[in-house]
Amino acid sequence: NAGVMQNPRHLVRRRGQEARLRCSPMKGHSHVYWYRQLPEEGLKFMVYLQKENIIDESGMPKERFSAEFPKEGPSILRIQQVVRGDSAAYFCASSPQTGTASTDTQYFGPGTRLTVL
Amino acid sequence: AQSVAQPEDQVNVAEGNPLTVKCTYSVSGNPYLFWYVQYPNRGLQFLLKYITGDNLVKGSYGFEAEFNKSQTSFHLKKPSALVSDSALYFCAVTSVGSSNTGKLIFGQGTTLQVKP
């Protein structure tokens, strides 16, 4: 049973370019969370998605960031016009929703490390 | 607002000795508490969680944690540390509240260094 898959593992972009980060949840999981780990900071929640729905985007920056989880295919975190401050590790987690969202275990992927030059 | 505090940036312990990594929390409502471990350049691995029931929770790799409601704490423990336990440890909380979306609120992390 493959775990949460994220690609690419490393991504380098120049300022002003777009970054697309992909996340495939564990088999049978229909809930995806994105977190960001900035240098010298802890992990911060960004967005929670179910298939074709954004449930909670309270942690997303207001501009340049968007996320989707289509009916088919991986979840995508998109960052437009990247700036140096976007350099961070971005982690995806999935959960099976066997109970309530608050009690389910989230399983994390290996992360995508974004470097903006 | 919900928050988690890990008061120690780093914990040093000798191999074979018991270890404790501290965590306190602040939530409105019932807390659901989690511990994760992160090895360098890797994702987070789930260790254990407290939802309800017995205050002592046992998890992976010999780790356990004790939920203490009066002290709002959820300290991670292991009776005998291994060098391979050296990693970054995160405590996290969710709670049932107005937005039951399961988003994890993480502490800043504690680096555990186990010396041979």
Side-chain angles (χ1 to χ4, degrees):
Chain A
N1 186 12
V4 177
M5 309 284 283
Q6 288 189 250
N7 66 82
R9 294 292 305 276
H10 299 275
L11 182 61
V12 179
R13 285 288 178 264
R14 296 190 181 280
R15 282 178 295 170
Q17 291 184 321
E18 179 179 286
R20 281 183 179 242
L21 288 62
R22 289 177 290 276
C23 168
S24 296
M26 288 178 70
K27 186 176 181 180
H29 289 192
S30 58
H31 298 252
V32 165
Y33 297 78
W34 285 93
Y35 295 85
R36 178 166 65 173
Q37 187 175 32
L38 290 163
E40 306 304 321
E41 293 188 23
L43 289 120
K44 305 291 185 186
F45 166 79
M46 300 181 75
V47 62
Y48 165 41
L49 310 104
Q50 297 175 14
K51 288 280 188 181
E52 300 184 281
N53 280 308
I54 297 174
I55 307 301
D56 181 355
E57 56 182 349
S58 59
M60 287 281 267
K62 298 297 181 206
E63 298 177 346
R64 302 187 297 107
F65 285 72
S66 62
E68 63 177 7
F69 190 16
K71 186 176 181 180
E72 301 290 338
S75 175
I76 306 287
L77 180 67
R78 181 183 179 205
I79 312 172
Q80 295 179 286
Q81 299 176 318
V82 295
V83 301
R84 288 214 175 112
D86 296 333
S87 295
Y90 292 83
F91 292 96
C92 165
S94 72
S95 71
Q97 188 78 93
T98 55
T100 65
S102 293
T103 59
D104 278 335
T105 299
Q106 294 177 32
Y107 296 91
F108 283 76
T112 294
R113 279 152 183 83
L114 173 65
T115 302
V116 180
L117 301 177
Chain B
Q2 299 177 150
S3 66
V4 175
Q6 294 180 242
E8 301 155 317
D9 289 337
Q10 181 158 328
V11 170
N12 298 310
V13 65
E15 187 175 30
N17 283 0
L19 69 88
T20 298
V21 183
K22 295 180 180 177
C23 171
T24 59
Y25 65 89
S26 175
V27 300
S28 55
N30 292 325
Y32 303 124
L33 295 149
F34 301 77
W35 275 101
Y36 286 86
V37 59
Q38 185 181 29
Y39 294 96
N41 299 314
R42 303 281 294 277
L44 278 71
Q45 296 179 30
F46 170 72
L47 284 177
L48 50 80
K49 68 180 179 182
Y50 171 82
I51 303 301
T52 187
D54 194 348
N55 288 344
L56 184 64
V57 179
K58 293 188 183 295
S60 306
Y61 313 119
F63 284 93
E64 59 188 27
E66 186 165 13
F67 171 64
N68 188 317
K69 188 173 183 178
S70 63
Q71 296 185 5
T72 61
S73 67
F74 190 56
H75 302 331
L76 181 71
K77 300 182 179 185
K78 187 173 182 180
S80 179
L82 299 172
V83 173
S84 58
D85 293 330
S86 298
L88 182 59
Y89 290 79
F90 288 101
C91 180
V93 69
T94 68
S95 77
V96 177
S98 58
S99 61
N100 178 21
T101 63
K103 62 183 178 185
L104 290 166
I105 308 299
F106 283 92
Q108 288 292 96
T110 298
T111 298
L112 173 65
Q113 188 74 37
V114 182
K115 296 188 185 300

